Amino acid sequence: MKMNTKYIRELEVVTDKLVFLRQYVNSLEILLVMTANGIKRPLSNCLNQINIFDSEKPSNKEDLKQIVDNLKLSVLELDSFTKELRIFIRDMKK
């Protein structure tokens, strides 16, 4: 009888660890998707603005201001994403 109880307890411990690992892997998968989606668009926007600057060499202040404003929006979007990411990671640790 003692042997069965011991094995049952060990099985419960292993099962608990597996559940934890599944939850952890799921959280990592979500983190990966969040990172890919949260960084790709603003980074692409920044690169596009840099390419516009490089190829068109804006000569007037309005065009240059538009490029800078677009870069600023993308950087703010990245900043917002990093805050969201920190919250997710903090909550994942709980």
Side-chain angles (χ1 to χ4, degrees), residues 21 41 51 81 83 88 91:
L21 288 174
R41 186 169 43 112
N51 288 336
F81 171 71
K83 290 174 185 171
F88 179 82
D91 292 346

Side-chain angles (χ1 to χ4, degrees), residues 6-68:
K6 179 182 175 187
Y7 289 126
I8 289 172
R9 182 63 197 135
E10 287 178 10
L11 183 60
E12 289 171 347
V13 169
V14 169
T15 302
D16 289 345
K17 288 180 181 181
L18 284 173
V19 168
F20 170 79
L21 288 174
R22 280 192 193 116
Q23 291 171 340
Y24 189 74
V25 168
N26 287 339
S27 294
L28 290 176
E29 289 172 348
I30 292 168
L31 183 63
L32 182 62
V33 171
M34 284 176 63
T35 302
N37 292 334
I39 292 176
K40 184 176 177 21
R41 186 169 43 112
L43 187 58
S44 291
N45 291 342
C46 285
L47 290 172
N48 287 336
Q49 293 305 307
I50 291 168
N51 288 336
I52 289 169
F53 180 82
D54 284 344
S55 65
E56 296 178 12
K57 304 285 188 222
S59 58
N60 61 48
K61 283 187 176 183
E62 292 83 26
D63 289 344
L64 189 56
K65 183 177 181 339
Q66 184 63 48
I67 290 172
V68 170

